[in-house]
Every structure is written in structure tokens, then in C-alpha cells.
Amino acid sequence: MKPNYFVFLLFITPVFLFGQEIRNTSYITSTGERVLRIESILPAEKQEVWKIFTTAEGWQKWAAPIASVDFKVGGLILTNYDRTKTVNDSGTIQLPIINYIEGEMITLKVILTESFTEKVRKEDMNLQEIIQLVDLGSGKTKVISSMIGWGTGPDWDKTYDFFERGNKWSYEQLIKIFR
């Protein structure tokens, strides 16, 4: 099953896929908010990994076959998992770029599509993904993906579960391009 969202992987224990570590470091904050957090180590220089997250070509390699990227504060990343569609068609995922620090960090607003309940879409004001890149030296980069801004209740639990599965798939794809 292919998810229709880019974003982030969840495991209970570390997993080694193609020799690269992927860890679930999700947690609950001191104020009771959930953080869906995935850490992975890629065998690539940080600048190479940065391009994967900041260019249409990069997104097409690992996340979705259809992608458009206007990388700037206030810009937009658009992806569609349906090869027969464009970024202007229904089902396109919109990820506004809230901010970034060149080569280090990107914050994306996650806009939920019509595949999520109306209740969750109406309540969604704060769902975001923060992507951090850490140079580990020796040609390795750690990617830390943290999704924050989750609501509460059964509909939000289902949304979190969806991203748990979808992110797993997405980060497996990211690992594959570096094997």
C-alpha cells in the first residue's frame, strides 16, 4: 500500500535497512504534546542530502513521482503520488515552507488533504514537520524528522497512525536511494 503523504517513519526499536540505521525517537513533551520523530543516518554528505529535500528532482527520487519545489520562505513543495496527475490536480500534497536555515533545517506546514476527516482538517492549525540535517563526518548525515502540532481525540489518533505508516514508507524510500 502506497501512502499519499511524504513524511516520516516509526519503529519501536532501531532498524537496519541496507546497513543504515533508522530509529523512532518519538516522545510526549512536558506539556503533553506528541512528537512523531524519526532519525536516520544516510551514507551521504550533508549538502547532497539537502538537495534531496530542496529540489523537485530530489523529491522525485524518494518521495513522489510528481513534484514541484519553490524553495524559499513562503515557498511551496507540491507532490502527487499518482503518475498520471500533475501538481495542479486533486490529491496533490501541499507543504508550505515556513522557514529554513540553509543546509541545516527546514520547517514545513503540513496541509491535510480531503482524505482526512473534516474535523481534523478544520482543527489543523499547527501540524508541521521539522527536518534537521546533522553532519556526522566521514560522508554520513543524520536526518531528524519531527512532526509536531497534533490535535487530540480519535480522529487525530487515526491521523497520527496514518503518518506513522506513511513516514515509515517514505524513509524506507529515502534509504534506498543511498544504498
Side-chain angles (χ1 to χ4, degrees):
M1 177 175 99
K2 251 189 177 177
N4 65 354
Y5 260 88
F6 135 82
V7 236
F8 319 98
L9 154 78
L10 190 62
F11 283 105
I12 295 173
T13 57
V15 170
F16 294 91
L17 185 62
F18 308 116
Q20 303 311 310
E21 184 178 355
I22 299 174
R23 295 186 327 128
N24 167 17
T25 55
S26 298
Y27 62 97
I28 305 292
T29 68
S30 61
T31 59
E33 297 178 85
R34 292 189 282 192
V35 178
L36 176 58
R37 184 172 167 148
I38 306 305
E39 298 181 24
S40 55
I41 298 174
L42 303 176
E45 297 291 337
K46 187 165 91 167
Q47 203 52 34
E48 183 181 357
V49 177
W50 179 254
K51 289 178 187 174
I52 292 294
F53 287 100
T54 61
T55 66
E57 296 78 17
W59 282 86
Q60 290 166 349
K61 285 181 181 179
W62 74 283
I66 308 299
S68 172
V69 175
D70 179 19
F71 195 81
K72 62 184 179 186
V73 172
L76 193 60
I77 297 170
L78 301 170
T79 61
N80 198 311
Y81 287 89
D82 185 340
R83 291 181 188 278
T84 67
K85 305 275 185 174
T86 71
V87 293
N88 298 315
D89 290 328
S90 65
T92 294
I93 297 159
Q94 298 180 37
L95 299 167
I97 300 163
I98 296 172
N99 60 46
Y100 70 94
I101 298 172
E102 185 79 31
E104 294 181 26
M105 189 257 332
I106 306 166
T107 305
L108 304 171
K109 169 67 181 109
V110 178
I111 297 177
L112 299 172
T113 66
E114 61 279 349
S115 63
F116 296 92
T117 66
E118 185 177 343
K119 177 186 183 319
V120 170
R121 290 192 324 267
K122 283 184 177 181
E123 292 176 0
D124 173 34
M125 299 296 183
N126 298 311
L127 191 58
Q128 300 174 28
E129 178 188 5
I130 301 164
I131 301 165
Q132 298 169 272
L133 304 181
V134 179
D135 185 352
L136 298 178
S138 302
K140 293 183 180 178
T141 302
K142 183 178 201 175
V143 178
I144 305 166
S145 169
S146 302
M147 284 188 76
I148 60 171
W150 301 98
T152 58
D155 287 343
W156 277 102
D157 292 342
K158 289 178 187 174
T159 301
Y160 185 96
D161 292 344
F162 173 85
F163 279 96
E164 176 181 357
R165 290 186 312 273
N167 296 349
K168 175 186 180 293
W169 181 86
S170 294
Y171 275 88
E172 287 171 350
Q173 303 316 301
L174 181 60
I175 291 287
K176 285 179 184 179
I177 69 170
F178 290 104
R179 67 175 155 165

